[in-house]
Amino acid sequence: MHQSRRTYVPRKGKPCHLYYTTERQWEPDYLKGRCLELGLEEQFLRYQIRLMVSYLGVFFALHIGLSVAHILVAIYLTNSQTHVLVDVLFCSISTTILLLVLSINFFVGFVTRHHWIMPLSSTLATVVAVVSDIGLVVYSEAVNKWELDILHYTYYLCMVYMFLPITSHTVALILGTAVSITYIGYYVFCLPFTDPGQNILNYSYVMVDFLHYICFNVMGIYFRMMNDMLTRSSFLDRHQYVMEEIWLRNARPQESRLLNAILPPHIAKNIQVSIRDRIQLTEKGLSYDRLRERSAIGMAIQVYPDVSILYADVVNYTYLTTTLTVERLVQVLHDLYARFDVAAAHFNVQRIKFLGDCYYCVAGLKAPNPDHAQTAVSLGIAMIANIMEVREEWELDIDMRIGVHSGDIIAGVIGEAKLQFDIWGPAVEIASHLESTGESGYVHVSNATMRKLKFQGIKVKAGTAKAQQDPLLQKHSMKTYLLTGIPPRESVRRTIDYASPHVFDPNAYHEPVHYMSYVDHTAEQIEDEIQKIPIVGVEPICWRRRKNKKDHMKGNIGMVFAAFNDSHLEGNYLRRPDYIIKYTVLLVWIMGCCLIYIQLATNESNCILCIVIDIIVFLFLTAVLAICWYKKFCYWKHKGDENYLYSRCSCIIFGFFEKTQQSLRRRIVLYLLVVLSLLMVTSLIMSPILVYYNLWQSCLQLK
């Protein structure tokens, strides 16, 4: 999930800094705070409910199997069928009630809307299980005079912490503690002390039993906390992946839209693919094929027959540059050219570029358009209306000359480091001369354009005398005309209008893109992707029908063990740093202390060697605990100040802990030493039992 940052341990005894950022990201309060910060707590709760219900499916199968096995053993291995019938009834009735009470949690939608159902059903199921277990023992002792031991307490504690659908750690701890107190109370108050002289010994065993339950509850809370941390971490990673996927999915249409606003779609697509290939090769450290690149660029240069070219020039532009400040000049040009872009998008005309006071574009370039001449002239009339509004709003003496000619052109992208789209050909030069010989406030067109026009709402005048004297126009024996008219209001918009995201008509592009729809449905997409997150356990049939067939996570993970089927992936996973090792060490320390106390409490022979072993094990576990929690203690003490300098001794501890944390071999060695220590203490506890067992066997042989 996260990249590790090693603590810098300098040589020659110099101080060092503490970097706790990565480990901080694996702490429960940080993960929960991150979910709250991103507004994911409600979504995580729904995902957690799905996980809980899947675990509950595993418990149903396990509990039914154990109940059937219990009934079969009781029937076939017990002689008294009358007494066994009571046992079978207790087991069957309690199992049926327990499963019925918990089955309501499979209605996920209903449970999600009513969160109190999960803890209530879990509490009722636990009460049924515990009352049935103790009730059977009490009944057997009172009626049948059978002294039975209670052996299901471990199973029921595992049920509370591992399988019951309880999302709150506090509720799980309260329920587990209540189960433990119930069994301890039965042990203390229901089992009589037959020999008053043994009261002290019995009370010591009560304390041992108390610690025994503490160990199980600590293990349960540890399991729930680790499961919650790993689940939240995976959930946040999945959310980040989903957000990046949605962002990329939305960015691609934006990229296409931006490129299509500059280039024709069929050219933009080739350029887009070429640029992506170049970026990917550069990121991989490879060099791209320049010959292939030039070939792709060459393919983007094409001949476009029968289009209309519009050239526009701002009259009195020199006056603007000499009388206005640079800032005001830029504002005026921005207002003016933005209006022109809005009008060009309205008429589906491809703007080529603008140079200073010159703006030129082509109609019929994006897609074949038989009315390209009419479109270009309408755009020219709209541009004149726009500059008139700018003239009034900014109080400037400016006007517009526009020239339009229809013919064939060559258009394409040139350049290598910086690509540039442009047009060439005699028709382009003629349109430029029509603009320069035109009259302010009119669209100056050639006879080639005039033949293609429909004259609704257009007023026509004869061309200018200046055009009749232009050598290029006379070379082509070209007659010219001045046109004017009233443009559609949608093509004349103020600057404040085109600030709206809806100003550019999506229908003006070859591939319509509704970006706002992506933004509106982002939350729905995230929710849908979260529903596809695979879960571990037994899924209800209704979920399987909705399961995403493209989700490959289930195929990568084993069905029995939570391990990757690919050994390479499993190896990489095992070699990752263990950022929650300190919590495991804390659990082991608590368990070790309880075992040491139990050994001392049951050490009736006052074994000196046993006491020495207990002390060594305690010191070893305490030292490991101190090393693993020292970074956390320093981070807490200095409030996360990474600029604080620590002593050489602290740096050595930091370095030793991080090497163990990031090395699989070191962790395995540490785990083996810890397990060996706990086994030594456990063997000391079991040794008196073995001695008594051997004495009992000897007595039987003597008889």
Side-chain angles (χ1 to χ4, degrees), residues 286-549:
L286 303 175
S287 59
Y288 63 94
D289 189 349
R290 292 182 178 274
L291 293 177
R292 183 179 178 184
E293 185 77 13
R294 289 170 185 159
S295 175
I297 298 299
M299 291 291 292
I301 300 177
Q302 299 179 13
V303 176
Y304 293 87
D306 199 17
V307 296
S308 293
I309 306 98
L310 182 149
Y311 260 83
D313 187 75
V314 179
V315 180
N316 285 338
Y317 179 74
T318 305
Y319 165 78
L320 296 180
T321 59
T322 56
T323 57
L324 300 180
T325 63
V326 176
E327 181 180 359
R328 185 172 175 80
L329 175 63
V330 171
Q331 291 176 350
V332 171
L333 293 178
H334 176 70
D335 186 8
L336 185 62
Y337 291 147
R339 288 168 176 265
F340 291 169
D341 285 343
V342 171
H346 175 76
F347 290 106
N348 198 18
V349 176
Q350 177 73 49
R351 188 253 284 174
I352 306 302
K353 62 181 176 180
F354 49 82
L355 298 172
D357 61 336
C358 180
Y359 183 102
Y360 61 100
C361 51
V362 180
L365 186 64
K366 291 182 179 181
N369 181 11
D371 295 329
H372 57 82
Q374 188 76 32
T375 300
V377 171
S378 299
L379 173 60
I381 294 173
M383 294 171 70
I384 293 172
N386 274 290
I387 201 170
M388 290 298 102
E389 284 195 358
V390 172
R391 175 175 180 168
E392 294 178 4
E393 291 179 8
W394 293 84
E395 298 180 354
L396 298 173
D397 184 16
I398 56 175
D399 212 328
M400 203 83 196
R401 283 195 313 266
I402 296 176
V404 177
H405 176 64
S406 301
D408 302 338
I409 64 170
I410 298 174
V413 177
I414 59 174
E416 184 172 322
K418 184 177 181 181
L419 304 180
Q420 177 66 54
F421 179 74
D422 212 338
I423 56 176
W424 306 273
V428 178
E429 191 174 2
I430 291 173
S432 177
H433 280 253
L434 286 171
E435 174 271 315
S436 61
T437 59
E439 184 177 334
S440 300
Y442 288 90
V443 179
H444 195 199
V445 302
S446 64
N447 54 355
T449 301
M450 195 70 175
R451 288 193 296 267
K452 300 177 182 295
L453 294 179
K454 301 173 184 178
F455 295 95
Q456 296 97 345
I458 296 178
K459 296 180 181 180
V460 183
K461 289 175 53 177
T464 62
K466 196 174 181 181
Q468 297 176 1
Q469 301 173 1
D470 186 271
L472 179 64
L473 299 180
Q474 292 304 315
K475 178 182 176 181
H476 292 84
S477 302
M478 189 169 292
K479 294 183 179 180
T480 62
Y481 305 89
L482 295 174
L483 308 180
T484 186
I486 301 175
R489 184 61 207 172
E490 293 79 7
S491 63
V492 183
R493 298 191 182 184
R494 300 169 58 229
T495 306
I496 191 173
D497 295 329
Y498 65 74
S500 169
H502 302 287
V503 68
F504 293 103
D505 184 9
N507 296 322
Y509 297 98
H510 184 68
E511 296 179 0
V513 176
H514 302 276
Y515 171 68
M516 295 305 296
S517 64
Y518 286 104
V519 177
D520 295 337
H521 297 292
T522 297
E524 297 179 5
Q525 293 176 11
I526 294 175
E527 184 67 26
D528 182 62
E529 292 292 339
I530 289 176
Q531 289 295 325
K532 298 176 183 177
I533 299 178
I535 60 176
V536 180
V538 177
E539 299 184 43
I541 297 176
C542 60
W543 294 1
R544 295 180 186 177
R545 293 174 182 171
R546 298 181 302 170
K547 185 172 63 175
N548 185 17
K549 296 182 179 180

Side-chain angles (χ1 to χ4, degrees), residues 606-637:
N606 296 324
C607 175
I608 303 300
L609 179 61
C610 299
I611 297 175
V612 172
I613 293 176
D614 290 338
I615 294 174
I616 293 175
V617 171
F618 175 76
L619 292 177
F620 170 71
L621 295 179
T622 304
V624 174
L625 178 71
I627 292 173
C628 293
W629 282 86
Y630 186 66
K631 281 186 72 174
K632 173 65 177 179
F633 172 76
C634 294
Y635 176 84
W636 170 78
K637 181 179 179 182

Side-chain angles (χ1 to χ4, degrees), residues 26-51:
W26 283 91
E27 294 186 352
D29 58 335
Y30 175 87
L31 292 170
K32 186 171 183 179
R34 185 63 176 162
C35 288
L36 291 172
E37 179 184 351
L38 296 175
L40 299 175
E41 191 63 24
E42 189 66 27
Q43 293 177 344
F44 175 75
L45 180 60
R46 290 196 292 270
Y47 174 62
Q48 196 176 28
I49 291 174
R50 287 179 57 209
L51 283 178

Side-chain angles (χ1 to χ4, degrees), residues 12-268:
K12 299 181 181 179
K14 293 183 179 179
C16 65
H17 298 284
L18 171 64
Y19 300 107
Y20 197 73
T21 304
T22 305
E23 293 179 50
R24 173 65 179 154
Q25 294 172 351
W26 283 91
E27 294 186 352
D29 58 335
Y30 175 87
L31 292 170
K32 186 171 183 179
R34 185 63 176 162
C35 288
L36 291 172
E37 179 184 351
L38 296 175
L40 299 175
E41 191 63 24
E42 189 66 27
Q43 293 177 344
F44 175 75
L45 180 60
R46 290 196 292 270
Y47 174 62
Q48 196 176 28
I49 291 174
R50 287 179 57 209
L51 283 178
M52 294 288 181
V53 174
S54 70
Y55 298 156
L56 190 60
V58 175
F59 172 73
F60 267 50
L62 177 64
H63 192 70
I64 292 174
L66 292 177
S67 299
V68 171
H70 176 84
I71 292 173
L72 293 177
V73 169
I75 293 175
Y76 290 104
L77 298 182
T78 306
N79 295 326
S80 179
Q81 298 298 325
T82 304
H83 296 161
V84 168
L85 181 60
V86 177
D87 190 357
V88 172
L89 288 176
F90 264 92
C91 182
S92 302
I93 295 174
S94 64
T95 300
T96 303
I97 296 176
L98 184 144
L99 297 182
L100 286 176
V101 170
L102 291 177
S103 61
I104 192 175
N105 294 283
F106 287 110
F107 299 93
V108 180
F110 180 72
V111 172
T112 303
R113 292 190 299 270
H114 305 86
H115 294 167
W116 54 269
I117 292 177
M118 300 180 74
L120 178 61
S121 61
S122 300
T123 303
L124 293 177
T126 305
V127 170
V128 170
V130 173
V131 169
S132 173
D133 189 27
I134 297 178
L136 178 61
V137 175
V138 173
Y139 175 84
S140 300
E141 184 177 357
V143 178
N144 302 328
K145 305 303 180 182
W146 289 358
E147 294 184 2
L148 302 179
D149 290 331
I150 297 177
L151 301 177
H152 294 163
Y153 62 90
T154 304
Y155 174 70
Y156 292 142
L157 285 176
C158 291
M159 177 186 74
V160 169
Y161 287 109
M162 297 178 62
F163 296 112
L164 291 186
I166 307 173
T167 58
S168 172
H169 299 331
T170 305
V171 175
L173 179 60
I174 293 174
L175 197 56
T177 303
V179 172
S180 303
I181 292 175
T182 301
Y183 280 108
I184 293 174
Y186 169 77
Y187 179 75
V188 172
F189 297 107
C190 296
L191 296 182
F193 297 107
T194 56
D195 187 358
Q198 295 182 355
N199 282 352
I200 297 178
L201 180 61
N202 286 334
Y203 280 123
S204 65
Y205 273 96
V206 170
M207 189 63 186
V208 169
D209 199 46
F210 178 74
L211 292 177
H212 178 71
Y213 283 103
I214 285 181
C215 289
F216 272 102
N217 282 275
V218 170
M219 290 176 61
I221 288 297
Y222 168 81
F223 170 80
R224 290 187 61 89
M225 289 186 62
M226 295 302 101
N227 186 55
D228 183 76
M229 289 169 57
L230 295 176
T231 304
R232 283 184 182 273
S233 178
S234 301
F235 183 82
L236 289 171
D237 282 349
R238 183 72 177 220
H239 176 263
Q240 182 179 356
Y241 165 78
V242 169
M243 290 298 297
E244 291 176 356
E245 183 72 16
I246 292 175
W247 178 87
L248 182 61
R249 195 185 307 162
N250 296 342
R252 286 175 179 171
Q254 292 182 68
E255 177 187 334
S256 299
R257 181 185 180 189
L258 177 61
L259 209 53
N260 291 344
I262 302 174
L263 307 175
H266 61 280
I267 294 179

